[in-house]
Amino acid sequence: MKLTRIRPRLAGPASLTMSTNKPPANRMVPAIKPPTDFPADIQFLTTPVASPLLPALDRLTYCTPCPPHLVPNAPPRVAIRAITDARHPAKGQRGLFNDGKGAIERGTWIRDYVGLVHTEGEADPKSEYDLSLERRPVPGGDDGDEQEQEPHFEVVGCDATQMGGEARFVNDYRGVPGYERANAVFELRTWDIPGVAGRKGARMAVWAGPHGVAKGAEICVSYGKGYWRPKEAAGQSRLKEGAQDEPRAKVGRGRRVAKAKQQG
């Protein structure tokens, strides 16, 4: 499987496919008290875990703990809840909801998407919780062919099948009653790693979208056409006929506003 698009279903353990990506036997994952209603059979994480085959630089970038003072804003209050609405595509599973006293403002960092960070060769093609962190070109070999060769890419993925955080329960907005668009987006966040000159840490994160997340609302993203197209043959796609690629949500301005409010 090529993790060139977001691949998680992020709906909960009712449809869970166990990944072959298991944590290294010699790596102890610290026991952290999980939030309420987090499944007992999933290892709760706040920092990603690196696979044994992950290159050192990728391990540094994607698995270095982020100091609390470098998180974009105080984490908004969220809750994992069972979905009981018969009209919801993920009925009987779980979703992530805004549990705060008010709306989550546009551009607010909500949670990081954490799990097992792995190479493309370790990807489980059956996983519904695997997304791409990075897709980078790889120089092709010299086979003497003077014609232009197709570019090759390698992907670093993050699989939250067996271990992860609250963001693994974020559902796609399609088919959710009352939703015409996503109210949150997946985008990378970065920070300067203390004590390592010139190196940045990175996380895929869930951010409040351009219109924010209403009080009590389910936090929903768009998995993208790349996730739903392969499911069309099985009749599992939620894409409307003739659906086009969605424009990338721009929330950077809102993030700066949220950060300024925190610092003010």
Side-chain angles (χ1 to χ4, degrees):
M1 178 182 67
K2 294 183 178 180
L3 301 176
T4 56
R5 296 275 186 162
I6 291 175
R7 291 287 300 166
R9 181 173 177 181
L10 303 172
S15 62
L16 193 61
T17 300
M18 298 306 290
S19 170
T20 57
N21 288 326
K22 297 183 178 180
N26 61 348
R27 176 180 289 275
M28 297 298 293
V29 179
I32 303 172
K33 184 179 179 180
T36 303
D37 292 330
F38 196 87
D41 59 338
I42 305 298
Q43 172 68 51
F44 177 67
L45 300 177
T46 57
T47 298
V49 172
S51 83
L53 300 182
L54 194 68
L57 285 179
D58 290 332
R59 185 185 301 261
L60 179 66
T61 300
Y62 296 111
C63 300
T64 297
C66 178
H69 70 281
L70 294 180
V71 174
N73 51 260
R77 185 181 178 89
V78 298
I80 301 166
R81 297 175 184 163
I83 296 173
T84 59
D85 189 336
R87 301 170 298 166
H88 198 298
K91 179 182 180 295
Q93 301 174 32
R94 291 179 173 89
L96 191 67
F97 292 76
N98 174 11
D99 196 41
K101 295 181 179 180
I104 300 176
E105 294 188 24
R106 59 169 295 193
T108 301
W109 168 81
I110 298 176
R111 291 294 189 275
D112 291 336
Y113 189 91
V114 296
L116 182 68
V117 180
H118 61 86
T119 64
E120 184 171 1
E122 298 173 285
D124 179 1
K126 296 181 180 179
S127 175
E128 295 284 344
Y129 292 83
D130 206 0
L131 60 75
S132 172
L133 298 175
E134 181 180 359
R135 181 174 182 263
R136 58 198 175 209
V138 178
D142 184 8
D143 57 5
D145 188 353
E146 295 183 357
Q147 295 182 356
E148 184 177 353
Q149 298 180 359
E150 293 186 2
H152 296 276
F153 298 88
E154 64 181 4
V155 177
V156 178
C158 182
D159 193 341
T161 299
Q162 292 187 329
M163 57 177 65
E166 293 152 300
R168 75 188 297 279
F169 297 102
V170 174
N171 286 308
D172 188 286
Y173 79 95
R174 294 173 176 83
V176 177
Y179 282 65
E180 296 183 356
R181 59 180 174 234
N183 59 12
V185 296
F186 275 125
E187 286 187 9
L188 280 172
R189 73 174 182 92
T190 62
W191 69 93
D192 293 326
I193 299 177
V196 185
R199 297 298 304 183
K200 289 184 177 293
R203 296 279 190 276
M204 183 62 74
V206 178
W207 306 79
H211 301 277
V213 181
K215 176 183 177 180
E218 182 179 359
I219 300 167
C220 293
V221 298
S222 171
Y223 293 173
K225 199 165 69 173
Y227 174 82
W228 291 111
R229 282 297 187 207
K231 295 181 176 293
E232 288 184 333
Q236 298 174 342
S237 177
R238 298 186 204 165
L239 289 178
K240 296 180 181 179
E241 185 175 354
Q244 302 295 318
D245 283 320
E246 297 172 339
R248 187 175 182 84
K250 300 296 184 183
V251 296
R253 178 183 172 188
R255 291 184 200 164
R256 291 194 292 273
V257 170
K259 188 171 183 180
K261 284 187 175 182
Q262 182 195 20
Q263 294 173 344

